[in-house]
Amino acid sequence: MMARTTPLLIQIATGDVRPIVKQITDAVRMKIATGELNHGDQLPSVRGLAQQLSINPNTVSKAYAELTTEGWLESRQGLGLYVAKPRQRLSGRERSRRFEEAIDRFVHDVIPLDYTVEDVQDRIARAFEFHMPRKRA
């Protein structure tokens, strides 16, 4: 049975400070982590996604290569790229480092906005519910 290509509904934000490669890799990781993309789903071709996003194919190729190296995607010779079987992709130390880095970045961005801790916690909880509904089902 031939797998169908799963549309990759992501957008590139021109005002985003992250490079386009990072925007693509972050979006694909999020879709896999939240269950929007599942093991075995086929991703659009490099050329197809580049056309969809109106960007250079080399940019998509670089993002796909990074995701493949990290174990999020697997290449099937002559067939394309697929979402890899779930596994722990990062060491415990690396997970912890990235978590601390994200919290530090978040806290530095949010404290100057002068919200209460309760407001921040409430909004974080709602953001998790919005982005991770499939994990709870």
Side-chain angles (χ1 to χ4, degrees):
M1 184 171 85
M2 190 84 156
R4 289 184 37 202
T5 302
T6 304
L8 197 50
L9 303 176
I10 60 175
Q11 292 183 332
I12 300 301
T14 53
D16 196 318
V17 296
R18 296 172 300 162
I20 293 172
V21 169
K22 178 84 171 130
Q23 290 183 50
I24 294 170
T25 56
D26 286 351
V28 171
R29 280 190 207 108
M30 181 67 110
K31 288 182 180 297
I32 294 171
T34 59
E36 195 172 326
L37 287 173
N38 296 298
H39 170 238
D41 286 348
Q42 185 179 19
L43 272 71
S45 68
V46 167
R47 185 170 296 179
L49 186 59
Q51 284 178 338
Q52 174 193 323
L53 299 174
S54 299
I55 60 175
N56 188 312
N58 290 335
T59 304
V60 175
S61 182
K62 189 174 175 183
Y64 278 180
E66 186 174 324
L67 291 163
T68 302
T69 300
E70 292 177 356
W72 294 93
L73 303 178
E74 64 185 7
S75 177
R76 296 182 189 168
Q77 191 67 33
L79 297 174
L81 282 172
Y82 293 81
V83 175
K85 188 175 181 179
R87 63 179 171 87
Q88 186 53 54
R89 295 174 173 91
L90 301 172
S91 69
R93 174 179 263 177
E94 180 62 14
R95 286 180 67 224
S96 180
R97 187 192 69 75
R98 289 188 184 196
F99 190 53
E100 292 298 326
E101 185 179 288
I103 289 171
D104 193 47
R105 208 172 35 246
F106 175 79
V107 167
H108 280 88
D109 285 349
V110 170
I111 285 177
L113 300 176
D114 203 26
Y115 284 98
T116 65
V117 170
E118 292 76 22
D119 284 340
V120 173
Q121 289 173 334
D122 184 51
R123 289 197 185 187
I124 290 172
R126 281 189 276 149
F128 266 84
E129 283 183 28
F130 177 78
H131 288 290
M132 300 180 66
R134 294 171 191 204
K135 284 253 174 169
R136 298 200 174 135

